Structures are given as C-alpha cells and as structure tokens.
Amino acid sequence: MSKNVYTLEEVEQLKAWFDQAELPAEMQLDKAVYIPDVKETVRRLFLQAHVCCENPRLQGCLRLLERIKAHLEEEKKN
C-alpha cells in the first residue's frame, strides 16, 4: 500500500481481481470505515482510478481498493 503511482496496467490487473471476486453486500473495513454497498463503491472507485492512476496526489481510490482487497483475502483465509 505504499505505492506512489499505479500504471493503467496495474489498475486493470486490480480490476480483473475484483471482477472474479465474490463481493459481500456490505463491509466494515475497520472501526471508522463502513461500506454499505461494496459493489457500487468498487465500481465508482475504479471510475476514479482510471482517471487519476498516474497522479501521485490522487491515489486514495487505489489505496482504498487495495485495503478492500486485503480485507477480502484475509476473510477468505479465516
């Protein structure tokens, strides 16, 4: 998650992971972040990610996608 800039190819790889993932309806990512509609949130984050992936100041959407992915992978292990 310390990545400063994502390439469009990396965004597409991340999107491919989400396309095959089984997403829950909602998610409590941490104490402060609750996502009531995970599918719609992911869809909108990718719309933003495609526009700003190469701008190091606008990486929040990609960092959040990476956190969601890590959370889902952790849940799958348990």
Side-chain angles (χ1 to χ4, degrees):
M1 276 200 277
S2 61
K3 192 161 178 56
N4 289 330
V5 176
Y6 287 75
T7 65
L8 193 53
E9 181 181 329
E10 290 169 321
V11 172
E12 288 301 323
Q13 289 172 353
L14 187 58
K15 182 161 182 358
W17 186 93
F18 274 97
D19 287 345
Q20 61 81 33
E22 188 174 325
L23 301 177
E26 59 186 18
M27 175 188 294
Q28 185 74 45
L29 190 57
D30 58 30
K31 289 181 181 181
V33 179
Y34 170 71
I35 304 171
D37 186 342
V38 176
K39 290 179 184 179
E40 181 63 14
T41 300
V42 167
R43 185 186 75 78
R44 289 174 183 255
L45 287 170
F46 273 110
L47 289 174
Q48 184 180 358
H50 281 101
V51 173
C52 63
C53 63
E54 295 178 344
N55 185 334
R57 293 181 182 214
L58 300 175
Q59 298 296 296
C61 54
L62 287 154
R63 289 190 187 106
L64 185 53
L65 286 164
E66 290 284 1
R67 287 185 60 206
I68 293 169
K69 178 183 175 191
H71 184 82
L72 292 170
E73 289 175 331
E74 186 63 33
E75 279 188 343
K76 194 172 185 179
K77 286 181 187 178
N78 297 333

